[in-house]
Amino acid sequence: MKGEAAFLEVIGRHFPGCSLGVGIGDDAAVIDIPSPAVVTTDVLIENVDFTRELPVRFIARKSLAANVSDLAAMGAVPHAFVCALGIPEWFEPGFETFTSELAAAAREARIELVGGDLSAADALTISITAIGRIAEGARPLLRSGARRGDRLFLSRPVGASAAGLALMTKGWRIFGDGSAAPPPHAGGLAFAHRELAASLLLRHAAPEAETALGAALARIPEVGACIDVSDGLALDLSRLLAASGCGAVVDWRRIPPFPDLVEGALALGIDVRASVLEGGEEYALLFTASATESELSSRLRRPVYAIGRITEGSGIILDRDGERTPLEPRGFDHFAR
Amino acid sequence: MKGEAAFLEVIGRHFPGCSLGVGIGDDAAVIDIPSPAVVTTDVLIENVDFTRELPVRFIARKSLAANVSDLAAMGAVPHAFVCALGIPEWFEPGFETFTSELAAAAREARIELVGGDLSAADALTISITAIGRIAEGARPLLRSGARRGDRLFLSRPVGASAAGLALMTKGWRIFGDGSAAPPPHAGGLAFAHRELAASLLLRHAAPEAETALGAALARIPEVGACIDVSDGLALDLSRLLAASGCGAVVDWRRIPPFPDLVEGALALGIDVRASVLEGGEEYALLFTASATESELSSRLRRPVYAIGRITEGSGIILDRDGERTPLEPRGFDHFAR
């Protein structure tokens, strides 16, 4: 690559045209969007949010997922995004793969790239701002919408992303094709769980936002508050509760762990409790509703999981087979250095 | 500072409330905005776009100015912005000053912070996405609107930002209060031009976007294309011309240099030609119109400078007292490493 123009040429090939108005190529984009607009921004930085070990295509997927998941948590439909990149020299050979994968992920999420900015950098930096819209018949879902007596729901099994991160820290590798390799010194037991490890790593590397679910929840009047699990179930729940001025009791047995996680945890050296309660980058939705699990699941035509109840007061109580203890709002803090 | 919560507390103090809808504090902002929305993003990275030598308050001003200037170039009125920060440890003591100054700059530009993201980082990284609206009676100004025969205008004298940067490279310092100090080894001649040096440094440290002018130009039907001078007059003009499918002749004598720049250049060791033609971060507007300088200046009630003509063909011809030579589109390239 030589200079900004070479990068722009690659971007132009993978993101041709813009259906929303004036896209890439002017000082700013000019796009049609129904008011209100839902706006979110997330920055991912090398060695903080990912390392060079992560294949470039997954870095692209993770970056977009973080933003699209925030839109889903608001009940918004993805509309447009801009992407500012700080590009170190090591990343230049991977730039085309990154761009192509970002384009694929954007097509899947039905969100259009309308602008961006490029800069040199020492650490790869990906800053995306995504804009969503509220569909007809829907309203934005806020963190503050929980009411005492509501049920607390989780959209899908959790724990895989943190478990995948733990495996990477232990020397497992994930490759661009989604296959995984154990560390050289791994024993036979770990090797036997290679398939589970690969699916955990993939969940971490290419998390999926709950885009369709978020938009569907925004149309159901019984749904109250919503947040996405980006920094951990306990921490994100505590944020929802603080915004709503409520507390919650969570039933440990009802939190669905990622399939086979409990069975394979010992062999792979994974802390299930921490992965499930404190693992970030899950992008499951955590929401409240004055409806039962079966009512909601049938209306949504997919399972959702009632894991507890909204209560008076504040904070989280974890109920483990009748034994109730306060749950600390621990999770991912970028500044725990 | 300890953890994300401490940063959020500072931000909450300096950016209280949001008049546009749901601002900071949820997974995303939900804001009212008339369609079309004008969207731009710029990322500034330590050691690429600025160094630690630059007082923190100026880093805040530069970051917002880059974005607000892009809105001005589109003829848009500033509306809302989000700010993603990568924060290294050295920056933590300056975080309050940065935030306070960002809030002051936002108030001046009448743009509201509606969201953001915080991450740890090794290099200070500031990524802002700004959203503007098109005022009633106005339309977006594009790079592609230039027509053969139009006059080419510059909104104000240029060269100061690049000259200020050159002074910093030579060891001049600018302080938070706007005063300047020459390098220890500077001679008496440089010292005698300390006032000029201070104003050049200030232009570089705290550039001002042409917000009011951009919005005014968007209401004048005779105005064609517009771009802001962010990477240098020659380079940005070449982009405007390429988008419009035109060429231009620029009259060197009519380009207004920053006051006293020519007189003080020798003493301060500044290359006037390069500063004027290739200096970035000016944020003057460069635009075309089928009107004369006096017509436009009287309509705008402020001076603007006709510096050339739009022609057929492509590229830039520089006319220096009748001697015509092609002007290379040189300027700031982030990837010239």
Side-chain angles (χ1 to χ4, degrees):
Chain A
M1 295 270 175
K2 284 249 172 70
E4 197 166 337
F7 292 109
L8 291 176
E9 185 275 323
V10 173
I11 293 168
R13 256 190 297 112
H14 291 283
F15 291 96
C18 172
S19 76
L20 304 172
V22 177
I24 298 167
D26 220 299
D27 284 38
V30 185
I31 57 167
D32 287 318
I33 179 162
S35 195
V38 179
V39 187
T40 184
T41 190
D42 269 283
V43 58
L44 277 75
I45 299 179
E46 184 182 341
N47 295 332
V48 179
D49 299 287
F50 60 85
T51 67
R52 293 185 200 184
E53 297 283 291
L54 196 66
V56 155
R57 56 178 296 242
F58 294 131
I59 298 176
R61 295 229 159 230
K62 269 176 90 90
S63 310
L64 192 61
N67 285 277
V68 170
S69 178
D70 279 331
L71 295 183
M74 304 299 290
V77 177
H79 191 72
F81 73 109
V82 293
C83 179
L85 294 173
I87 302 176
E89 281 188 273
W90 73 261
F91 187 65
E92 296 193 8
F95 187 76
E96 173 111 27
T97 302
F98 175 88
T99 307
S100 144
E101 195 73 16
L102 188 67
R107 276 192 301 274
E108 288 164 27
R110 300 192 182 190
I111 191 165
E112 270 197 63
L113 182 72
V114 297
D117 187 34
L118 302 174
S119 178
D122 288 324
L124 177 59
T125 304
I126 302 150
S127 177
I128 290 181
T129 298
I131 303 180
R133 58 192 154 78
I134 300 298
E136 253 191 74
R139 87 288 188 203
L141 300 174
L142 306 184
R143 294 181 180 180
S144 54
R147 297 290 168 262
R148 184 164 57 93
D150 281 357
R151 279 186 180 76
L152 178 66
F153 291 89
L154 192 60
S155 67
R156 65 185 178 204
V158 293
S161 182
L165 177 60
L167 291 178
M168 288 196 74
T169 311
K170 289 173 199 296
W172 284 79
R173 293 286 303 268
I174 181 166
F175 302 100
D177 64 359
S179 66
H185 56 275
L189 198 55
F191 197 81
H193 288 82
R194 205 169 38 162
E195 239 177 85
L196 171 61
S199 59
L200 297 172
L201 286 161
L202 193 60
R203 266 286 175 195
H204 177 71
E208 277 172 37
E210 291 271 33
T211 299
L213 178 64
L217 293 176
R219 286 198 158 105
I220 299 180
E222 289 84 358
V223 171
C226 188
I227 193 169
D228 70 329
V229 180
S230 52
D231 294 336
L233 177 52
L235 184 52
D236 289 313
L237 175 55
S238 77
R239 289 166 177 160
L240 183 151
L241 295 173
S244 295
C246 299
V249 176
V250 172
D251 186 345
W252 167 256
R253 282 170 314 134
R254 298 191 61 102
I255 304 176
F258 190 75
D260 300 328
L261 178 61
V262 174
E263 294 73 11
L266 193 64
L268 293 171
I270 290 165
D271 179 340
V272 173
R273 187 183 193 277
S275 297
V276 164
L277 294 177
E278 296 165 17
E281 299 185 308
E282 279 290 344
Y283 303 130
L285 293 183
L286 186 66
F287 58 98
T288 69
S290 58
T292 65
E293 184 180 286
S294 61
E295 279 166 3
L296 268 190
S297 294
S298 100
R299 225 140 125 193
L300 294 163
R301 300 185 192 183
R302 57 164 280 180
V304 291
Y305 305 85
I307 62 168
R309 283 275 192 180
I310 301 299
T311 63
E312 282 188 310
S314 64
I316 311 168
I317 299 292
L318 188 69
D319 184 326
R320 284 187 92 138
D321 301 314
E323 189 193 324
R324 296 184 159 208
T325 48
L327 180 63
E328 290 301 313
R330 266 198 300 265
F332 184 69
D333 186 327
H334 281 97
F335 296 94
R337 51 189 170 195
Chain B
M1 295 270 175
K2 283 250 171 73
E4 197 165 339
F7 292 109
L8 291 175
E9 186 274 324
V10 173
I11 293 169
R13 257 190 296 111
H14 291 283
F15 291 95
C18 171
S19 76
L20 305 172
V22 177
I24 298 167
D26 221 299
D27 285 38
V30 185
I31 57 167
D32 288 318
I33 179 162
S35 195
V38 179
V39 187
T40 183
T41 190
D42 269 284
V43 57
L44 277 76
I45 298 178
E46 184 182 339
N47 294 333
V48 178
D49 298 286
F50 59 85
T51 68
R52 293 184 200 186
E53 297 283 290
L54 197 65
V56 155
R57 55 180 297 242
F58 294 132
I59 298 176
R61 293 228 161 233
K62 270 175 89 92
S63 310
L64 191 61
N67 284 277
V68 170
S69 178
D70 280 330
L71 295 182
M74 305 300 290
V77 178
H79 191 72
F81 74 108
V82 292
C83 179
L85 294 174
I87 302 177
E89 281 188 275
W90 73 262
F91 187 65
E92 295 194 8
F95 186 76
E96 173 111 29
T97 302
F98 175 87
T99 306
S100 146
E101 195 73 16
L102 189 67
R107 276 192 302 275
E108 289 164 27
R110 299 191 182 192
I111 191 166
E112 270 198 63
L113 182 71
V114 297
D117 187 35
L118 301 174
S119 179
D122 288 325
L124 177 58
T125 304
I126 302 151
S127 176
I128 290 179
T129 298
I131 303 180
R133 59 193 153 78
I134 300 297
E136 252 190 76
R139 85 287 188 205
L141 301 174
L142 305 183
R143 294 182 180 179
S144 54
R147 298 291 168 261
R148 184 164 58 91
D150 281 356
R151 280 185 179 76
L152 178 67
F153 290 89
L154 192 60
S155 67
R156 65 186 178 203
V158 293
S161 181
L165 178 60
L167 291 179
M168 287 197 76
T169 311
K170 288 173 199 296
W172 283 80
R173 293 286 303 269
I174 180 166
F175 302 101
D177 63 359
S179 66
H185 57 275
L189 199 55
F191 197 81
H193 288 81
R194 204 168 40 162
E195 242 178 83
L196 171 61
S199 59
L200 297 173
L201 287 161
L202 192 62
R203 267 286 176 195
H204 176 72
E208 276 172 37
E210 291 270 34
T211 299
L213 178 65
L217 293 176
R219 286 198 158 105
I220 299 180
E222 288 83 358
V223 171
C226 188
I227 193 170
D228 70 329
V229 180
S230 52
D231 293 336
L233 177 50
L235 184 53
D236 289 313
L237 176 55
S238 77
R239 289 167 176 159
L240 183 151
L241 295 173
S244 295
C246 300
V249 177
V250 172
D251 185 345
W252 167 256
R253 282 170 313 135
R254 298 191 61 104
I255 304 176
F258 191 76
D260 300 328
L261 178 61
V262 174
E263 294 73 11
L266 193 64
L268 293 171
I270 290 165
D271 179 340
V272 173
R273 186 183 193 278
S275 296
V276 164
L277 293 177
E278 297 165 18
E281 300 185 307
E282 280 289 345
Y283 302 130
L285 294 182
L286 186 65
F287 58 98
T288 68
S290 58
T292 65
E293 184 179 285
S294 61
E295 279 166 3
L296 267 191
S297 294
S298 100
R299 225 140 123 192
L300 294 163
R301 300 184 190 185
R302 58 163 280 179
V304 291
Y305 304 86
I307 63 168
R309 283 276 194 180
I310 300 299
T311 64
E312 283 188 309
S314 64
I316 312 167
I317 299 292
L318 189 69
D319 183 326
R320 284 187 92 138
D321 301 314
E323 189 192 322
R324 295 184 159 211
T325 49
L327 179 64
E328 290 302 312
R330 266 198 301 266
F332 184 70
D333 187 327
H334 281 98
F335 295 95
R337 52 189 170 194

Short mmCIF file of all heavy atoms in Angstrom, two decimals, chain B residues 263 290 329:
data_model
loop_
_atom_site.label_atom_id
_atom_site.label_comp_id
_atom_site.label_asym_id
_atom_site.label_seq_id
_atom_site.Cartn_x
_atom_site.Cartn_y
_atom_site.Cartn_z
N GLU B 263 6.17 38.74 5.97
CA GLU B 263 7.19 39.60 6.57
C GLU B 263 8.05 38.86 7.60
O GLU B 263 9.25 39.09 7.70
CB GLU B 263 6.53 40.82 7.24
CG GLU B 263 5.84 41.79 6.29
CD GLU B 263 4.51 41.26 5.71
OE1 GLU B 263 4.02 40.22 6.20
OE2 GLU B 263 4.00 41.87 4.76
N SER B 290 -20.70 31.40 -9.25
CA SER B 290 -20.88 32.22 -10.45
C SER B 290 -21.25 33.63 -10.01
O SER B 290 -22.32 34.14 -10.33
CB SER B 290 -21.97 31.62 -11.34
OG SER B 290 -23.18 31.54 -10.61
N PRO B 329 -0.71 18.35 -6.69
CA PRO B 329 -1.63 18.26 -5.54
C PRO B 329 -0.95 17.68 -4.32
O PRO B 329 -1.32 16.63 -3.81
CB PRO B 329 -2.74 17.36 -6.06
CG PRO B 329 -2.10 16.49 -7.07
CD PRO B 329 -0.99 17.31 -7.69
#
